[in-house]
Amino acid sequence: MTLKHRQGKNVKTMPKGTRIFTYICLIWALFVSLFPLVWLVISSLKKDPLARPGFQLPDSIYLEGYLSTFRDLHVLRYFGNSLLIAGLSVAISVVMISMSAYVVGRMEFKGKGLVSGLLYSTMFIPATALTYPVYNLINTMKLYDTRAALILIYSCSGIAVSFFLIKNYYDNIPRELEEAARIDGCGYVQTWARVIFPIARPGIMIAAVLAFLNNWNEYYWASLVLIDRNKLTVPGLLSTFTSSFRTNYNGLFSAMVVIILPPIILYCIFSRFFIEALSGGAVKG
C-alpha cells in the first residue's frame, strides 16, 4: 500500500448528509450576499430604475449615471477625503489599541478587570446616545466642520471590537517568547515591535481592515460634523442625489456601485489575513 493511499484512508470525510446541508447553507449565504449587489448593478444600468424595477434587464445600457458621478460630482475628491480620514483614524486607533491590548493582556496590575469591563461595555452604547457629548466636545475644541473632528471620532470608535480581537491573538502567544526577548535586552516597546506584533499581525491587520471599512461607510457622524461640501466623505455624496421633490435613482445607484468598489478591492488585497485569522492565531514553532 502506497503512502498516498494510506494518507487518503486516514483522512476523515464528512458524512453525505452533513455535506449536503453544508452546501445548502453556503449556497444560501452566497445568494443572500450577492442578491443586493446584483440588483444594484442591474439598476445602475437602467435609465429609469423605477420603470423597470427589480431584476428586469434594461432595454439598453445606460452609463450616464457613472459618467455624471465622475464628471459632475468629482467623486475622486470624496474618495480622497474618505481615504485621508479613514486612513489616519485607523493608523491612530490600531497603534493605540494594539499597545493597550498588550498591556492588558500580558501584564498584571490593579484594576485590570475593571479596565477590560469598561472597554467591553462601550460595545453596548449606540452612536446616537453619544451625539450631544461628542458634538459639544467638538465645538469646545473648535474642530467643527473639520476633517480633524472626524479623525478624532473615528479613532475612538469601535475600540471594543478591535481590542477584543487583538487581545485574543496576544493571549495565544507563549510567554516564553517575551522572556527570551527580555533576556536579550529588549524593553516593552521593543518586545512588542519585534516579537508580539509579527506574530499577531493577522489579528491586527483584520482589526485595521474592519475599522477602515466601518469608517469608509460611516454616514451619521460625517453628516453631523461636516458642512463644507468639499470636505464631505464618500457616504455624503449619496445625499446629493436626493432633493425635496425628486430623487435621481440612476445616479444614486451608479454612485453606490462606485463607492463599494474600494472595500471590495481592499478585501481582495488583504483576504489572506482573513484566512490566517480564521485559524485562531496559531503560533508557528
Side-chain angles (χ1 to χ4, degrees):
M1 185 180 293
T2 62
L3 178 60
K4 183 177 181 180
H5 183 65
R6 290 178 182 176
Q7 291 176 346
K9 290 185 65 177
N10 293 331
V11 174
K12 294 183 179 180
T13 59
M14 186 183 300
K16 184 177 180 180
T18 304
R19 185 168 62 252
I20 294 175
F21 178 75
T22 301
Y23 287 152
I24 293 175
C25 292
L26 291 175
I27 293 173
W28 174 251
L30 182 63
F31 173 78
V32 172
S33 302
L34 294 180
F35 179 87
L37 295 178
V38 175
W39 179 89
L40 181 64
V41 173
I42 294 177
S43 299
S44 68
L45 299 176
K46 302 174 184 177
K47 183 175 182 179
D48 186 4
L50 296 184
R52 299 181 61 85
F55 284 90
Q56 299 183 57
L57 296 177
D59 296 329
S60 60
I61 303 299
Y62 188 76
L63 300 177
E64 183 61 29
Y66 291 98
L67 297 177
S68 177
T69 299
F70 287 94
R71 182 185 60 220
D72 302 330
L73 296 179
H74 306 289
V75 69
L76 294 181
R77 177 196 304 163
Y78 296 91
F79 272 26
N81 292 336
S82 290
L83 286 174
L84 175 64
I85 294 173
L88 288 179
S89 60
V90 167
I92 295 172
S93 63
V94 166
V95 172
M96 177 178 61
I97 295 171
S98 60
M99 288 188 173
S100 61
Y102 174 65
V103 173
V104 175
R106 312 298 286 187
M107 302 179 187
E108 298 297 331
F109 57 90
K110 293 182 179 180
K112 178 178 177 178
L114 178 62
V115 172
S116 300
L118 291 175
L119 284 172
Y120 293 145
S121 65
T122 59
M123 298 176 63
F124 307 101
I125 303 176
T128 52
L130 301 175
T131 300
Y132 176 74
V134 173
Y135 187 81
N136 187 44
L137 176 64
I138 294 300
N139 281 328
T140 302
M141 299 177 66
K142 301 185 183 303
L143 295 177
Y144 186 71
D145 196 25
T146 63
R147 298 182 182 92
L150 269 189
I151 294 175
L152 176 63
I153 294 174
Y154 290 167
S155 299
C156 300
S157 62
I159 290 179
V161 176
S162 300
F163 178 85
F164 178 79
L165 181 61
I166 296 175
K167 182 178 178 296
N168 181 57
Y169 265 79
Y170 288 166
D171 292 338
N172 292 324
I173 299 176
R175 294 186 178 273
E176 288 78 7
L177 297 177
E178 292 180 84
E179 295 173 358
R182 298 285 175 78
I183 293 175
D184 291 338
C186 292
Y188 289 111
V189 177
Q190 289 178 318
T191 301
W192 176 82
R194 298 183 179 181
V195 179
I196 302 299
F197 177 78
I199 298 176
R201 185 179 60 177
I204 296 176
M205 292 302 298
I206 290 301
V209 170
L210 293 178
F212 182 87
L213 295 180
N214 181 67
N215 296 342
W216 179 273
N217 297 320
E218 202 281 327
Y219 176 74
Y220 180 75
W221 292 114
S223 62
L224 185 67
V225 173
L226 295 179
I227 297 178
D228 189 352
R229 181 185 176 89
N230 294 326
K231 299 177 183 178
L232 288 177
T233 56
V234 166
L237 174 68
L238 302 180
S239 62
T240 61
F241 292 96
T242 302
S243 64
S244 302
F245 303 100
R246 66 180 298 270
T247 299
N248 181 7
Y249 286 102
N250 174 260
L252 178 62
F253 294 152
S254 301
M256 291 175 67
V257 172
V258 174
I259 288 172
I260 65 176
L261 286 178
I264 294 176
I265 296 174
L266 185 68
Y267 174 80
C268 293
I269 295 175
F270 292 96
S271 59
R272 67 186 185 91
F273 291 107
F274 281 88
I275 297 174
E276 292 180 19
L278 292 177
S279 64
V283 180
K284 297 180 180 180

